[in-house]
Amino acid sequence: MANLREIKKRIDSVSSTEQITRTMEMVSTAKIGRALAREKQSEQYCEAITDMMLTVAQDASQETNPLLSNPEHYDCALLIVINSDRGLAGGFNVMVERAAEKRIDHFRRHGAQRVELITCGRKACDYFRHHDDVVMAVEGESDNPTLERARVIASYVCEGFASRKFGRVDIVYYHARNRVDQDLREERILPLDELVLSTARGPRANEAEAPKRLTSPFEYAPSADHVLSKLIPSYVLTVIHQALIDSAAAEQGARRKAMHSATENAGAIISELTRTYNRVRQASITTEINEIVGGAAALEDY
């Protein structure tokens, strides 16, 4: 059995860890409020531009825009992977990386010879560092993504898809449902989802999930096709920026949850160690008393 000094040393060590995890939990709790507020504001704009695009799509021919082409076969796909720059967030980074690996396998099973990657977050960059087709790596911005960075990514996506460099663009990230829960999302950016575009042509089976379409009449200059060609790049930019902001909020939520669990576990360990310390101390005191009593009895017999 460990002696009292070793147990006391371990209690002090776990107590220090508990203080660190509690502080990190408080910091994440403070950050997640701001991150969620920013995410909600961006989500409103994303919904608005989606509604506008659907409104224009019902009056546009769509066949003339290369960003609306939906090739049956493609040799190259692009995957955008978004996670965090730092760890200590539970399974936040691991789950994104596993989903990205499954998505890469999915592309290859469906005929893609190459899968290009855009990694956002130091953890994703480190995980896919040895992947041969990482075309862009973004580090140091996971907790505060910028519109300029999203614009660079969106520009590469639109140019590559329009030139038929790749025929499919997907994104993998975590969505912050609230302060506690996060959902892993795997979404297709390009080509635009046929179900989404069909909303502009007719009702979907599930009206509750269908994006809204503005009903006010519009006059387009010079044409609806031209307006749609300007809206789609803006839509792609907005979707990517929204995913970056959403992931930043989810990161703080996941870290708060992980640090809360770590703090509770540290408290449980301290309680167990304290009970062990008291038992060892009591046993030591009992042994000393027995030795004193035994010595006194021996002296009386002598």
Side-chain angles (χ1 to χ4, degrees), residues 32-202:
I32 192 174
R34 296 191 296 268
L36 281 174
R38 185 183 181 188
E39 187 269 335
K40 292 301 181 185
Q41 293 174 354
S42 176
E43 184 179 18
Q44 294 175 2
Y45 180 79
C46 186
E47 291 176 353
I49 197 170
T50 302
D51 298 342
M52 179 61 71
M53 184 188 67
L54 295 178
T55 302
V56 179
Q58 67 181 338
D59 297 323
S61 62
Q62 300 185 21
E63 288 79 6
T64 60
N65 196 320
L67 293 178
L68 294 176
S69 62
N70 191 359
E72 296 182 0
H73 304 286
Y74 46 86
D75 295 329
C76 181
L78 175 65
L79 180 63
I80 304 173
V81 184
I82 304 176
N83 63 8
S84 69
D85 290 319
R86 298 183 295 127
L88 299 178
F92 181 84
N93 295 313
V94 175
M95 296 303 294
V96 171
E97 291 160 359
R98 289 178 180 176
E101 290 282 6
K102 291 180 180 179
R103 181 58 53 177
I104 292 172
D105 292 339
H106 171 80
F107 286 146
R108 288 173 175 167
R109 287 197 305 269
H110 286 75
Q113 301 299 318
R114 294 177 58 244
V115 180
E116 294 187 352
L117 290 179
I118 295 179
T119 55
C120 302
R122 186 171 292 110
K123 294 298 181 179
C125 295
D126 291 342
Y127 184 84
F128 291 104
R129 190 174 302 278
H130 301 294
H131 195 282
D132 295 333
D133 296 313
V134 177
V135 295
M136 190 181 304
V138 181
E139 299 183 14
E141 298 181 6
S142 70
D143 59 344
N144 187 27
T146 62
L147 182 61
E148 289 73 18
R149 179 63 64 183
R151 184 173 287 111
V152 172
I153 298 174
S155 177
Y156 181 84
V157 169
C158 293
E159 291 176 3
F161 192 86
S163 63
R164 306 297 176 89
K165 181 179 181 181
F166 35 78
R168 176 75 178 261
V169 182
D170 281 22
I171 187 168
V172 179
Y173 67 100
Y174 257 106
H175 162 67
R177 194 193 315 166
N178 49 47
R179 291 175 177 266
V180 178
D181 300 316
Q182 300 83 38
D183 299 323
L184 182 64
R185 287 189 172 179
E186 302 176 38
E187 300 175 351
R188 184 174 79 177
I189 298 180
L190 290 175
L192 295 180
D193 193 338
E194 294 178 354
L195 291 176
V196 173
L197 288 178
S198 67
T199 309
R201 300 295 182 180

Side-chain angles (χ1 to χ4, degrees), residues 278-300:
N278 292 334
R279 285 197 300 267
V280 173
R281 184 170 178 270
Q282 185 62 44
S284 176
I285 293 173
T286 302
T287 301
E288 292 178 0
I289 292 174
N290 290 335
E291 290 176 351
I292 292 172
V293 172
L299 290 175
E300 291 178 359

